[in-house]
Amino acid sequence: GYKVISGEQPTEAPTVAPTQAPTEGQYTKGDVTGDERVSLADVVFVLRAAVGYDGFELTVGTSRFEAADMDNNGVINMQDAVLLARMII
């Protein structure tokens, strides 16, 4: 069973609907994840893309790539992650 805290009953389903995966064209500079905000999640994504983690590839010429390429040099690297981190700190 569930333990009742503060008189609230637990939910069986998420209370917030999950967001859909972003589609091409929905990105702004720094918002690599497409969630309409720049956060640590974007920094982590760029770090993983920079070191070549599977599933974190960014295709040159897409708006998602442009969102991640913080220094506009056409390459995703650690410098982009640093610049993005500075943007949110």
Side-chain angles (χ1 to χ4, degrees):
Y2 294 102
K3 182 178 181 181
V4 177
I5 300 174
S6 302
E8 295 181 22
Q9 295 295 322
T11 59
E12 293 291 328
T15 55
V16 178
T19 58
Q20 293 184 344
T23 58
E24 179 61 22
Q26 290 183 316
Y27 298 94
T28 56
K29 196 59 133 182
D31 180 19
V32 184
T33 60
D35 62 359
E36 298 181 5
R37 62 188 182 135
V38 179
S39 68
L40 186 58
D42 299 297
V43 176
V44 171
F45 193 104
V46 173
L47 283 169
R48 289 179 174 171
V51 298
Y53 271 46
D54 286 339
F56 293 89
E57 296 84 10
L58 294 169
T59 304
V60 175
T62 63
S63 59
R64 191 174 200 182
F65 182 94
E66 296 302 319
D69 187 13
M70 298 300 293
D71 57 6
N72 299 312
N73 69 351
V75 177
I76 303 302
N77 56 30
M78 297 304 247
Q79 181 65 25
D80 297 303
V82 169
L83 291 172
L84 185 51
R86 286 182 181 167
M87 187 175 168
I88 65 171
I89 294 176

